[in-house]
Amino acid sequence: MTEKMKKKILFITPPFHAGVVEVAGKWVPLYLVYLAGAARKAGYEAEIYDAMTKFVGYPEIEKKIRESNPDFVAVSVITCTSPDAIEIIELAKKINPEIKTIFGGVHPTFMFEEMFSQTSALDFIVRGEGEKTIVELLDCITSNQDLSKVNGIVYRSEGSLEITPERPLMQNLDNQPMAWDLLDWNDYQYFIIPDSRLGAVDTSRGCDKECTFCSQQKFWNRKWRARSPEDIVREMIELRDGFGVNVILFTDDYPTPDRERLERLLDLLIEKKVGQYILMETRA
C-alpha cells in the first residue's frame, strides 16, 4: 500500500438548516461527490458525511470523526454556514490536532482573510473550482512538498497568509469521477413526488450574465462551460439504474443558453427512455 492510499479525507456538510429550501426536499451535496471522486481517483480514501441532510448535531459529527479517523477534514462553506463550518474544524482539531482542515466554496474563496482570522483551527482554503486543486493540495501535504506550487489555495506561513495564483477553470467537464456510492441514498427525497429518490446533475458551470445580486459571476469569472448531452444522459442513466434515482435536479446557474445543445439533450432523454422527473431553474 502506498503512502497516499493510507490517507483519508472526510468531507462534512455543516449542520445548518434553512426551512425555505428544506421544505421541498433533501438535496444531494453534489460538490462533495465531485471532490470525493477526484480525491479517490488520485488514490486517497474518501468519505462523505452529510450532517445537514441527516439533521444531526455536533455529538454525531464528533462520533463520525472519531470513527473515521481521517487525515483531512474538508468542509464546503457558504456565508450562512460559516459559523457551523468553523465549529466542525475546531472539533476535528480537538479530537486530533494532526488532522489537516480544509475549507472550500464561495464564501472562503473571497473571504479567506476573515475565515483565517476567526479560527486557528483552519489550515487551508481551496479557492474556486476545487477538483484539481484538492488533489494537488493533498499530494503536496502528503509528500511534504512546497505548498506555493499549488495554484488556488490560501494557507498560513510564518504568521502571514500565502495566497497562490488563481487556478484556471477546467476546459472539459465530461467524464469526471463521481463518488455516488459514498452517499446514503435513503436520505435524499423530493417531497412533492411520493416515493422519490432525488439526485443531482451539473450539466454546465457558470453564467456569462451580469445580474447584480449573483456571486456566481465572480466565482466562475463570467464563463459558461457545458457538458455534452451524451455525458449528461449517461450519468442520469447511471443514477437511475445504479442508485434508484427517479428525480434529477439540474444544479446549473444557467442550463439553457445553447438551444441546439438543450434540444439534443431532450432528444436523447426521449430516445434513451430515461424516464426521470427533472427539476431546473433558468433565466429569461
Side-chain angles (χ1 to χ4, degrees):
M1 180 179 291
T2 66
E3 181 69 20
K4 184 186 294 187
M5 283 296 292
K6 297 176 186 176
K7 299 291 185 180
K8 179 190 288 187
I9 181 167
L10 173 62
F11 296 93
I12 303 176
T13 59
F16 174 86
H17 299 289
V20 173
V21 177
E22 292 173 317
V23 71
K26 294 186 175 182
W27 311 92
V28 166
L30 182 60
Y31 41 89
L32 298 188
V33 176
Y34 273 105
L35 294 171
R40 195 164 60 176
K41 183 179 179 182
Y44 296 91
E45 186 177 352
E47 289 188 72
I48 297 173
Y49 188 62
D50 192 356
M52 182 184 294
T53 297
K54 291 181 178 298
F55 263 77
V56 298
Y58 292 105
E60 292 86 355
I61 293 172
E62 179 177 359
K63 181 181 178 183
K64 178 62 180 179
I65 295 172
R66 291 187 184 277
E67 289 176 348
S68 177
N69 190 29
D71 301 283
F72 311 94
V73 166
V75 186
S76 186
V77 187
I78 57 177
T79 303
C80 57
T81 67
S82 57
D84 287 291
I86 288 171
E87 195 157 344
I88 288 172
I89 61 170
E90 289 180 345
L91 180 59
K93 288 289 191 181
K94 180 179 177 182
I95 293 168
N96 179 5
E98 298 302 313
I99 291 175
K100 300 300 183 184
T101 59
I102 305 168
F103 277 174
V106 176
H107 188 81
T109 289
F110 303 115
M111 305 298 291
F112 48 85
E113 291 179 342
E114 176 190 88
M115 292 274 85
F116 276 106
S117 73
Q118 289 179 337
T119 178
S120 61
L122 179 58
D123 293 318
F124 302 97
I125 282 177
V126 170
R127 299 171 61 222
E129 193 168 57
E131 289 93 335
K132 292 186 180 298
T133 306
I134 192 72
V135 170
E136 288 188 17
L137 176 59
L138 296 182
D139 284 349
C140 197
I141 298 169
T142 300
S143 57
N144 198 29
Q145 299 296 311
D146 183 2
L147 289 164
S148 68
K149 303 298 184 185
V150 181
N151 287 345
I153 65 170
V154 186
Y155 61 97
R156 289 189 179 93
S157 178
E158 299 180 355
S160 62
L161 293 184
E162 293 293 330
I163 307 160
T164 66
E166 183 176 320
R167 179 176 297 276
L169 297 172
M170 294 190 295
Q171 296 305 304
N172 183 10
L173 299 178
D174 283 1
N175 298 307
Q176 296 298 314
M178 306 289 286
W180 290 118
D181 57 300
L182 298 185
L183 297 180
D184 184 350
W185 280 103
N186 292 324
D187 289 342
Y188 302 104
Q189 306 162 48
Y190 184 54
F191 299 146
I192 313 305
I193 298 175
D195 301 317
S196 63
R197 178 166 287 181
L198 175 61
V201 170
D202 198 16
T203 85
S204 68
R205 292 185 183 180
C207 179
D208 60 358
K209 306 307 178 190
E210 298 181 82
C211 299
T212 57
F213 60 82
C214 184
S215 66
Q216 297 303 314
Q217 60 173 298
K218 187 170 178 62
F219 190 83
W220 299 115
N221 295 327
R222 289 188 59 213
K223 305 292 185 185
W224 185 77
R225 294 163 297 147
R227 292 171 64 186
S228 69
E230 290 76 12
D231 194 56
I232 297 164
V233 171
R234 173 199 59 76
E235 185 173 28
M236 293 175 68
I237 292 172
E238 177 186 338
L239 288 170
R240 182 195 68 190
D241 296 348
F243 303 99
V245 172
N246 60 350
V247 185
I248 292 287
L249 170 68
F250 286 171
T251 62
D252 310 33
D253 297 308
Y254 188 18
T256 61
D258 184 335
R259 178 170 182 155
E260 184 177 342
R261 168 184 172 270
L262 184 63
E263 289 184 349
R264 172 63 177 159
L265 172 59
L266 297 175
D267 288 343
L268 282 174
L269 292 173
I270 296 168
E271 177 186 324
K272 301 292 185 180
K273 297 181 171 60
V274 176
Q276 291 163 318
Y277 293 96
I278 295 173
L279 314 175
M280 62 177 280
E281 295 180 353
T282 188
R283 57 174 284 133

